[in-house]
C-alpha cells in the first residue's frame, strides 16, 4: 500500500492534504494512509491555543478546527503522534489514543495499532531527563512549567513498549533516536545543519529513550520529525542468535510543512491483502496495557520501573498467549477501533471569537469507553481525584519536585542530560521567558570551531558513504573535522539519497514539497522569514 509520511505538521492540514492530492495525480495510485510525526496541533478553539507551548504572538488557529467540526473530512486515514507544540489539553483527553476528528487518529502517549496487517507503533512528546522518571501529573489549567512538562516523554511509556515481543513494521517518534545520525550521510547533515555539530560530536543529539526503543523493537521503518531537516539512514541490528537473520531499520526524518521544504514522502509498504481495511487495535499492546495498569502514577515524584534486581516481585509484563486470549474474549474477538468520535469542546467560530474561553480538564467519552471495556484506569479520572484532594492540580507536585531534586537522586537513568542544547537552531524561536538564558548557550560559530577527535584506524568505516551501505556503529562515535566540508560522491543537497523502499525504489527520490510560484532566491528568503514567524515557535529548552 502507498503510505505518506509527514514531518512537523504545525496545523497545516489543508496544505498537507492538497499535496497528497497532487501526489495521487502524479503517482501510480491513491494514498492509503498518512502518518504524521508530531507537532500536529489539533487546536479546536481559543482555549486550546493557550495550551500550546509557544509565545502568544505565534498562536494561530490554522485549519484543524474545520475537520473537528465536520465542515471538512480527512480524505485519507491519518494517524499521528504528539510533539512539543500541541494543544496539550486536547490530546490529554486521549492518553490511550482515539479520534480527534473523523478519520484522524491519535496514537496516545504511546500506542500500537494495525492497518491492513501493517503494525504501527509510536510514542508522543520529546525527551527531557529531568521529567523522564515522573508520573503524568499535569492537568489543565497548566502553569508555565507544566505547559512544557506535559509533552515530555515518561519512563512508563517506554517501559510498556519494551514489553512488546512481536515484530514492528513502522514506528513513529517526534525527536530522533540518539546516534541514528551515524548511520546516514552525516557530512551532508552537518553541512545542512551545522549547528548540530557539537551534539553529534558528543553524541547527545536526539532521544536516548527512543534509541533504547529502536534497539528493542527493531522496526522495519522508523519515522521522525522535530529537527526540521530531511535525513535518511539505514541501521543494521545485531542478531542475538547466530541462527537468526539480523534485522535492519530504515530511518527517515522529514522537515516541517512549508513551501520548498521536504516535509512529505510517499513510500510503498508491503501489507496483507486479506487484512481488514479498518483500523484495528493491537492485541499484544492491549494486553500490556492491562498488565501494567497498576504502574500508573499521577504524581510528580521521581520513580523507577520494575526490573529484575531483587527489589520487585514482578518485572516482566510481556503478553502471554493466555492473557492475549482473555483480552480477545473481552472484545468478543473484534479488534476494530470503533468510529466513536464525539465533539467534547466548543469549536472555533471565526465570526464569534472567544478569547476568554474557559479552560476545562475534560473526561473524553472515547477514553471512558476504552478503559471500561479493557478494565484499566483513566488517567484523567485519577488526576481529577488528586486535584480534588489537593485543591490545586500542580501545586503539590511542584513541592515534591523540589524535595526530590534535593534528595541527591540521579536526575535520570541516562548518563547524559539533554535538558538544554549547547547550540542555537536558527530555524527555531525561543519562548519569551527563556531569553534570559541565551548567554549560557554556545553559539553556532563556537560549535564550528570546536576541535574534533579523529577516529582510530580500526574505526575507519566512512559514515558519509551511501545509505545503501549497512553499517555497525563502532564503540567510539566521533566526528571528523571534515564532516562539514561536503557530501560524498558529489551528491550535494540530497541527504536521503540511498534509502530504498520494499520494491527497491529510492525513498527520497522526487521529494514532495509544497508547490509555489516563488522561485527567485530573494523571494525564498522572504518565505523563510515568514515561516520562522509562523511555524517555528519553540523555546531553547525544547529546541531541536
Amino acid at each position: 500500500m502507498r503510505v505518506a509520511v509527514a514531518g512537523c505538521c504545525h496545523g497545516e492540514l489543508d496544505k498537507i492534504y492538497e499535496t497528497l492530492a497532487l501526489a495521487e495525480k502524479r503517482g501510480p495510485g491513491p494514498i492509503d494512509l498518512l502518518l504524521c510525526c508530531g507537532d500536529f496541533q489539533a487546536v479546536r478553539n481559543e482555549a486550546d491555543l493557550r495550551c500550546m507551548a509557544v509565545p502568544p504572538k505565534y498562536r494561530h488557529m490554522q485549519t484543524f478546527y474545520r475537520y473537528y467540526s465536520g465542515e471538512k473530512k480527512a480524505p485519507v486515514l491519518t494517524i499521528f503522534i504528539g510533539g512539543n507544540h500541541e494543544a496539550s489539553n486536547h490530546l490529554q483527553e486521549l492518553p490511550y489514543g482515539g479520534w480527534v476528528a473523523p478519520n484522524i487518529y491519535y496514537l496516545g502517549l504511546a500506542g500500537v495499532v494495525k492497518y491492513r496487517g501493517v503494525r504501527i507503533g509510536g510514542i508522543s512528546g520529546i525527551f527531557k531527563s529531568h521529567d523522564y522518571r515522573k508520573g503524568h501529573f499535569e492537568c489543565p489549567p497548566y502553569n508555565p512549567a507544566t505547559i512544557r512538562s506535559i509533552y515530555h516523554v515518561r519512563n512508563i511509556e517506554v517501559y510498556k513498549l519494551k514489553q512488546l515481543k512481536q515484530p514492528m513494521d513502522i514506528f513513529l517518534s517526534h525527536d530522533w533516536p540518539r546516534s541514528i545520525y551515524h548511520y546516514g550521510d552525516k557530512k551532508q547533515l552537518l553541512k545542512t545543519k551545522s549547528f548540530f555539530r557539537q551534539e553529534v560530536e558528543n553524541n547527545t543529539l536526539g532521544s536516548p529513550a527512543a534509541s533504547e526503543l529502536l534497539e528493542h523493537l527493531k522496526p522495519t521503518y522508523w519515522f521522525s520529525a522535530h529537527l526540521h531537516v530531511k535525513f535518511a539512514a539505514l541501521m543494521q541490528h545485531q542478531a542475538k542468535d547466530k541462527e537468526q537473520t539480523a534485522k535492519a531499520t530504515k530511518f527517515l526524518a522529514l522537515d516541517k510543512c512549508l513551501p520548498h521544504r521536504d516535509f512529505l514522502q510517499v513510500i510503498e509498504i508491503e501489507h496483507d491483502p486479506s487484512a481488514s481495511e479498518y483500523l484495528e487495535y493491537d492485541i499484544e499492546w492491549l494486553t500490556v496495557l492491562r498488565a501494567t495498569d497498576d504502574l500508573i502514577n499521577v504524581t510528580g515524584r521521581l520513580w523507577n520501573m520494575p526490573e529484575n534486581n531483587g527489589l520487585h516481585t514482578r518485572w516482566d509484563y510481556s503478553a502471554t498467549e493466555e492473557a492475549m486470549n482473555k483480552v480477545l474474549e473481552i472484545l468478543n474477538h473484534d479488534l476494530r477501533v470503533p468510529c466513536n468520535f464525539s465533539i467534547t469542546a466548543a469549536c472555533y467560530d471565526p465570526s464569534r471569537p472567544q478569547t476568554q474561553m474557559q479552560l476545562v480538564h475534560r473526561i473524553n467519552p472515547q477514553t471512558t469507553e476504552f478503559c471500561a471495556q479493557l478494565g484499566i484506569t483513566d488517567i484523567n479520572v485519577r488526576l481529577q481525584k488528586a486535584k480534588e484532594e489537593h485543591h490545586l492540580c500542580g501545586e503539590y507536585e511542584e513541592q515534591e519536585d523540589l524535595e526530590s531534586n534535593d534528595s541527591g537522586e540521579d536526575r535520570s537513568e541516562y548518563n547524559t542530560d539533554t535538558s538544554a542544547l549547547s547550540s542555537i537552531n536558527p530555524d527555531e524561536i525561543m519562548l519569551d521567558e527563556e531569553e534570559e538564558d541565551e548567554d549560557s548557550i554556545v553559539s553556532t560559530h563556537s560549535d564550528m570551531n570546536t576541535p574534533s577527535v579523529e577516529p582510530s584506524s580500526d574505526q575507519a568505516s566512512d559514515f558519509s558513504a551511501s545509505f545503501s551501505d549497512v553499517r555497525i556503529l563502532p564503540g567510539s562515535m566521533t566526528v571528523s573535522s571534515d564532516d562539514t566540508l561536503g557530501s560524498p560522491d558529489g551528491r550535494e543537497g540530497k541527504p536521503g539519497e540511498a534509502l530504498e523502499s520494499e520494491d527497491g525504489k529510492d525513498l527520497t527520490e522526487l521529494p514532495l514539497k509544497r508547490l509555489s510560484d516563488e522561485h527567485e532566491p530573494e523571494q525564498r528568503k522572504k518565505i523563510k522569514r515568514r515561516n520562522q514567524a509562523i511555524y517555528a515557535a519553540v523555546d531553547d529548552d525544547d529546541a531541536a
Side-chain angles (χ1 to χ4, degrees):
M1 64 179 179
R2 299 188 76 205
V3 177
V5 185
C8 297
C9 299
H10 292 295
E12 295 285 7
L13 279 183
D14 282 356
K15 293 181 180 179
I16 290 175
Y17 291 137
E18 286 172 13
T19 310
L20 284 183
L22 179 60
E24 290 182 340
K25 290 180 180 179
R26 292 180 174 178
I31 304 297
D32 300 292
L33 178 68
L34 171 63
L35 303 176
C36 300
C37 300
D39 284 357
F40 188 80
Q41 297 182 5
V43 177
R44 304 164 294 185
N45 52 44
E46 292 89 343
D48 288 357
L49 277 179
R50 301 202 304 272
C51 294
M52 286 177 55
V54 296
K57 61 182 177 180
Y58 298 123
R59 291 171 182 163
H60 302 278
M61 193 60 62
Q62 304 295 27
T63 58
F64 170 79
Y65 74 92
R66 294 192 175 103
Y67 298 85
Y68 181 76
S69 68
E71 176 186 343
K72 292 186 175 183
K73 184 178 179 180
V76 60
L77 175 62
T78 302
I79 299 175
F80 75 97
I81 57 169
N84 58 316
H85 300 307
E86 304 288 359
S88 296
N89 59 321
H90 185 190
L91 298 189
Q92 187 171 356
E93 295 179 17
L94 302 166
Y96 303 109
W99 303 102
V100 298
N103 222 27
I104 302 178
Y105 190 83
Y106 168 54
L107 272 180
L109 294 167
V112 184
V113 294
K114 283 186 176 180
Y115 183 64
R116 295 188 177 182
V118 177
R119 197 178 193 209
I120 304 165
I123 187 165
S124 294
I126 61 173
F127 176 83
K128 294 294 173 183
S129 63
H130 54 273
D131 288 325
Y132 184 67
R133 292 164 55 207
K134 295 177 183 177
H136 294 291
F137 66 90
E138 303 91 345
C139 68
Y142 306 115
N143 60 39
T146 58
I147 197 173
R148 292 197 201 126
S149 65
I150 181 67
Y151 56 73
H152 292 165
V153 171
R154 304 299 155 87
N155 57 357
I156 178 64
E157 311 307 333
V158 175
Y159 186 77
K160 290 174 184 177
L161 289 166
K162 288 183 67 177
Q163 304 306 309
L164 299 176
K165 307 296 183 185
Q166 298 175 4
M168 186 72 67
D169 297 308
I170 298 172
F171 197 83
L172 310 176
S173 69
H174 188 56
D175 45 359
W176 297 15
R178 182 171 295 178
S179 302
I180 194 65
Y181 33 82
H182 291 296
Y183 296 91
D185 194 336
K186 191 167 56 180
K187 282 185 179 180
Q188 181 60 40
L189 175 65
L190 294 178
K191 183 176 182 180
T192 305
K193 298 281 188 178
S194 59
F195 35 84
F196 290 162
R197 179 179 175 80
Q198 184 170 349
E199 285 72 51
V200 170
E201 184 174 76
N202 297 333
N203 200 39
T204 57
L205 182 67
S207 165
S211 181
E212 189 176 324
L213 286 174
L214 173 59
E215 184 60 36
H216 175 81
L217 297 172
K218 300 178 175 64
T220 305
Y221 296 92
W222 187 298
F223 302 122
S224 297
H226 192 45
L227 298 186
H228 297 168
V229 63
K230 185 175 185 179
F231 179 78
L234 180 63
M235 180 177 182
Q236 180 71 51
H237 300 281
Q238 304 246 8
K240 294 182 179 179
D241 194 328
K242 293 183 178 180
E243 298 178 357
Q244 293 180 342
T245 303
K247 296 181 179 180
T249 296
K250 298 172 183 177
F251 173 84
L252 180 65
L254 291 164
D255 208 331
K256 53 185 174 180
C257 180
L258 292 174
H260 309 291
R261 305 290 280 264
D262 297 319
F263 69 88
L264 193 70
Q265 188 75 50
V266 179
I267 302 171
E268 295 286 343
I269 303 274
E270 291 185 351
H271 72 287
D272 182 359
S274 63
S276 170
E277 293 189 5
Y278 295 101
L279 186 65
E280 295 182 311
Y281 291 122
D282 181 83
I283 187 61
E284 185 185 20
W285 175 248
L286 295 185
T287 306
V288 168
L289 287 182
R290 276 177 57 87
T292 56
D293 187 59
D294 291 338
L295 299 179
I296 288 177
N297 174 21
V298 296
T299 76
R301 289 191 295 267
L302 302 179
W303 65 313
N304 296 315
M305 292 296 101
E307 53 183 317
N308 186 11
N309 57 6
L311 300 178
H312 304 94
T313 57
R314 182 180 181 183
W315 56 87
D316 184 359
Y317 291 84
S318 57
T320 63
E321 286 294 330
E322 181 181 0
M324 287 190 286
N325 288 333
K326 184 175 181 180
V327 174
L328 277 173
E329 291 178 6
I330 291 173
L331 300 178
N332 296 319
H333 294 266
D334 183 6
L335 292 175
R336 286 185 299 178
V337 176
C339 295
N340 56 352
F341 166 74
S342 61
I343 292 178
T344 57
C347 190
Y348 172 69
D349 184 351
S351 65
R352 299 179 59 187
Q354 302 181 48
T355 56
Q356 301 302 319
M357 182 176 289
Q358 185 179 5
L359 187 57
V360 180
H361 182 201
R362 291 183 171 88
I363 303 297
N364 193 296
Q366 290 185 71
T367 303
T368 300
E369 180 181 340
F370 179 82
C371 291
Q373 189 174 24
L374 207 57
I376 61 177
T377 302
D378 184 342
I379 295 175
N380 290 297
V381 171
R382 185 171 294 186
L383 272 170
Q384 286 193 353
K385 291 180 179 179
K387 184 177 180 180
E388 293 171 0
E389 294 174 1
H390 296 84
H391 304 295
L392 181 62
C393 187
E395 180 177 339
Y396 70 102
E397 290 91 348
E398 291 176 5
Q399 181 62 33
E400 288 169 347
D401 290 348
L402 291 173
E403 294 172 357
S404 59
N405 286 339
D406 293 335
S407 64
E409 292 184 90
D410 293 334
R411 298 181 70 189
S412 171
E413 61 189 80
Y414 299 104
N415 58 11
T416 304
D417 186 3
T418 58
S419 301
L421 290 175
S422 61
S423 60
I424 297 177
N425 184 346
D427 209 21
E428 302 285 1
I429 297 176
M430 293 187 298
L431 285 180
D432 294 339
E433 59 267 26
E434 290 299 317
E435 291 178 354
E436 61 187 20
D437 296 330
E438 188 174 354
D439 293 339
S440 65
I441 303 173
V442 181
S443 69
T444 301
H445 297 291
S446 64
D447 286 347
M448 296 301 297
N449 294 330
T450 303
S452 61
V453 181
E454 294 293 336
S456 59
S457 58
D458 60 341
Q459 297 160 355
S461 174
D462 183 10
F463 288 127
S464 302
S466 168
F467 290 143
S468 59
D469 296 340
V470 176
R471 310 177 192 83
I472 302 296
L473 192 64
S476 175
M477 296 175 290
T478 57
V479 183
S480 64
S481 57
D482 63 347
D483 271 347
T484 58
L485 297 182
S487 58
D489 305 325
R491 295 173 299 178
E492 183 173 336
K494 299 181 181 178
E497 187 165 327
L499 186 60
E500 296 182 349
S501 61
E502 290 292 335
D503 59 0
K505 295 181 179 179
D506 190 346
L507 280 185
T508 52
E509 183 181 0
L510 298 176
L512 294 170
K513 304 180 183 180
R514 174 69 179 164
L515 299 183
S516 174
D517 295 331
E518 296 146 293
H519 300 296
E520 296 300 323
E522 180 179 352
Q523 291 174 311
R524 288 202 180 189
K525 290 179 181 179
K526 292 180 181 178
I527 292 174
K528 183 175 181 181
R529 289 195 292 269
R530 169 185 172 273
N531 294 340
Q532 287 176 340
I534 296 178
Y535 303 107
V538 67
D539 58 313
D540 175 64
D541 178 62
D542 295 325

